[in-house]
Amino acid sequence: MTRTALVVGDGGVVGHRLASYLAATGAWRVIGIGRRPQGPPGVTHLALDMLDRDALLGRPQAVAGVTHAFLTAKAPAADAAAEAELNARLLHNMIDMLEAGAAGLQHVALVHGTKWYGCHAGPYAVPAREDDPRGPAPLFYFDQHDALAARQRGRAWGWSTLRPHTVWGYSRGTGNNLVTLIGVYAALLREAGEKLAFPGTPQNYEKQSQATTADLLGQALAWAATAPSCRNQDLNLTNGATFRWRDLWPAVAAFFGMEPAGPAPEPLTQLMPRYEPLWPRIQRKYGLAEGHLEELVNWQYGQGLFSVAWDDGSSNDKARRLGFAAQEDNRTALLRILGALRRDHIVP
């Protein structure tokens, strides 16, 4: 093993998949950092708070030998300005720790997204390209990007940022996970004997959307961190083709043995509290993993994603031109991830 990866946020949707992917290759030693007591199999996990700079600088030996660092964690805050400051500080702390203990550092990678282009604020130019103007500030992507570029000047190591769109994957303990939310939502409606109504607006049901699987993102992060052509580059990364939920929803309903229906008449945050009392019964009935519903779903998060009325789209041309040709079929990927949730007894 000539490469050692540091994955900050190895318990999240992206970090867990990336750390697992790197460890499974057999070509990487993987160190994970997160607040949870343990990380993925095959990963040396450190339960550290990345916002505690003194504690991090007190353990430089923890990152000895690290050649590639991946920041996949996000520190949430009450508002966008506070979140930008907090996550810039998190990045600075990580680089300080690496410069203190990782003499052979080669690359630092960040995971951002299409909010860079303002996709969350209103219609934007699609397909978005990496050199398009920034969307509205404040946004922690901008603060981190500027800080990383400044810290790298004059250093031997390089950087990259990847911009996925709505990551599809799963990880226990986080409610901001769209596929898990879909699975729990379907299980609750099925237990109530209802059809599987789409949990969003009519406009969202019909618009063009994009997604990026955590599997594909993990592969792309590893590639960009080791490809000379990607040094100091920003890269969009999606599954490839766009989709419309109206076309995918019948397949989701079939997966759960349900009849599909069009958009639900109420927003998720108003609709789902009436169904939540069914969850303990579903857990017992199907022998699901123990845990509270709020650890699996955040209805407000889902409502936000399923309320967007304008088309989403990012160009993957730059990544393909630089050498990353892999892509995912949206329908196949969505059903695969739902199948993994069922296999691991997260949803029935």
Side-chain angles (χ1 to χ4, degrees):
M1 297 183 186
T2 59
R3 293 168 175 160
T4 297
L6 174 70
V7 179
V8 176
D10 66 346
V13 176
V14 176
H16 187 280
R17 188 66 209 114
L18 171 63
S20 299
Y21 169 74
L22 293 174
T25 66
W28 292 77
R29 182 169 72 97
V30 185
I31 300 169
I33 289 181
R35 293 185 177 182
R36 298 183 189 181
Q38 63 184 32
V43 174
T44 300
H45 177 75
L46 306 174
L48 294 172
D49 182 354
M50 292 301 297
L51 293 173
D52 188 343
R53 184 175 182 275
D54 291 339
L56 296 176
L57 294 184
R59 297 189 61 182
Q61 72 281 1
V63 294
V66 168
T67 55
H68 297 75
F70 303 86
L71 178 53
T72 69
K74 170 191 170 184
D79 60 74
E83 192 168 271
E85 185 279 328
L86 200 61
N87 284 278
R89 180 151 54 92
L90 190 155
L91 171 65
H92 282 297
N93 289 351
M94 183 186 78
I95 295 176
D96 288 344
M97 185 185 193
L98 289 166
E99 291 191 334
L105 182 65
Q106 299 175 26
H107 197 90
V108 175
L110 303 184
V111 179
H112 288 157
T114 47
K115 282 186 178 181
W116 181 278
Y117 308 111
C119 73
H120 57 302
Y124 62 108
V126 295
R129 299 183 182 278
E130 290 85 352
D131 57 358
D132 284 353
R134 295 181 177 189
L139 181 66
F140 80 88
Y141 296 170
F142 307 148
D143 299 72
Q144 282 192 336
H145 191 285
D146 294 344
L148 182 62
R151 293 291 300 262
Q152 185 269 337
R153 292 191 190 102
R155 304 295 199 273
W157 51 269
W159 56 263
S160 61
T161 76
L162 265 68
R163 298 173 185 166
H165 186 80
T166 312
V167 177
W168 287 356
Y170 80 99
S171 178
R172 297 180 185 181
T174 173
N176 294 348
N177 186 321
L178 188 67
V179 181
T180 305
L181 183 144
I182 289 172
V184 171
Y185 169 81
L188 289 168
L189 265 64
R190 185 175 68 179
E191 190 67 16
E194 299 185 11
K195 296 179 181 179
L196 187 62
F198 176 69
T201 63
Q203 296 87 347
N204 190 270
Y205 192 56
E206 297 289 340
K207 80 178 188 74
Q208 290 191 76
S209 297
Q210 279 191 321
T212 309
T213 68
D215 301 271
L216 189 70
L217 182 54
Q219 296 172 38
L221 282 164
W223 162 76
T226 55
S229 61
C230 295
R231 179 182 171 89
N232 299 354
Q233 296 294 322
D234 306 300
L235 298 163
N236 293 332
L237 195 281
T238 70
N239 291 344
T242 60
F243 67 89
R244 298 181 193 273
W245 279 113
R246 73 176 185 203
D247 299 323
L248 293 189
W249 204 243
V252 175
F255 179 88
F256 288 99
M258 301 173 70
E259 184 179 345
E266 293 181 76
L268 277 170
T269 55
Q270 297 178 25
L271 178 68
M272 296 316 295
R274 299 200 294 271
Y275 294 87
E276 288 179 352
L278 295 173
W279 187 247
R281 187 170 86 191
I282 294 171
Q283 287 181 304
R284 293 191 300 270
K285 184 176 179 179
Y286 295 98
L288 301 184
E290 294 184 4
H292 298 293
L293 194 61
E294 57 268 22
E295 296 175 349
L296 294 176
V297 296
N298 177 344
W299 301 124
Q300 185 67 51
Y301 168 78
Q303 182 172 304
L305 288 178
F306 284 128
S307 297
V308 175
W310 47 88
D311 288 346
D312 288 311
S314 295
S315 170
N316 288 332
D317 288 350
K318 183 177 179 180
R320 291 194 181 106
R321 185 173 69 252
L322 295 181
F324 190 79
Q327 55 186 352
E328 290 258 34
D329 177 78
N330 290 304
R331 183 191 305 255
T332 302
L334 181 57
L335 296 180
R336 182 185 76 240
I337 299 165
L338 286 171
L341 288 169
R342 177 175 285 169
R343 179 199 66 209
D344 291 348
H345 308 289
I346 307 299
V347 302

